[in-house]
Amino acid sequence: MLAAELIKLYQIENQAMVAKDTATLERLLAPEMHLIHMTGYDQPKKEWLAQIETEEMRYYSSEQENVTVDLLTEERAELTGQNLVSARIWGSKGTWRLQMKVYFEKRAGKWVIVKQVASTY
């Protein structure tokens, strides 16, 4: 089932963030992927991965609370995930109720994340 496949990719992404596994994140994210932070900052993929590696962004845990998937077309889908995330982001440490809107596209038969928008819930 497609929804289960996309949820699994979202879970793998969250596990990779906590594990500082930027190689896995590199595979899951489209080259042009951008992450829009709660602050409104539009961060390119390469910068985000670099900051995970240097621990400017350090994710300690991510506990999934709710997730929904909307299939828009055969090649496009959106996932909304709500996770309790413990992290240190640019020096601020805390635990946040993080809602992530994840935009997927199917390319060459494989789903990739093309954009993510973070907010709280």
Side-chain angles (χ1 to χ4, degrees):
M1 171 173 267
L2 175 63
E5 178 183 356
L6 296 177
I7 291 169
K8 183 65 177 170
L9 291 174
Y10 172 71
Q11 291 168 337
I12 291 169
E13 179 191 29
N14 279 277
Q15 292 165 358
M17 289 164 45
V18 171
K20 276 182 47 175
D21 182 356
T22 54
T24 294
L25 292 170
E26 182 71 43
R27 287 191 302 275
L28 293 173
L29 308 173
E32 74 281 6
M33 193 284 303
H34 277 244
L35 169 59
I36 313 298
H37 290 275
M38 291 183 282
T39 61
Y41 180 63
D42 184 346
Q43 187 171 39
K45 169 187 168 178
K46 289 197 181 298
E47 180 183 302
W48 184 47
L49 296 183
Q51 290 185 354
I52 290 172
E53 288 178 354
T54 63
E55 295 192 1
E56 287 178 74
M57 294 193 176
R58 177 67 176 107
Y59 299 93
Y60 300 109
S61 66
S62 182
E63 298 175 32
Q64 183 177 306
E65 294 192 327
N66 188 41
V67 64
T68 59
V69 176
D70 294 310
L71 181 64
L72 303 177
T73 69
E74 293 291 317
E75 287 87 31
R76 299 182 75 120
E78 295 177 4
L79 177 149
T80 302
Q82 295 176 329
N83 286 35
L84 191 59
V85 177
S86 176
R88 186 182 69 246
I89 306 297
W90 301 317
S92 295
K93 187 174 180 183
T95 301
W96 294 275
R97 293 190 177 282
L98 186 65
Q99 177 168 291
M100 193 67 76
K101 185 78 163 186
V102 182
Y103 299 85
F104 288 91
E105 285 185 9
K106 196 169 196 178
R107 297 180 179 174
K110 181 177 140 188
W111 289 99
V112 294
I113 298 168
V114 296
K115 181 179 176 182
Q116 300 184 90
V117 179
S119 61
T120 56
Y121 65 99

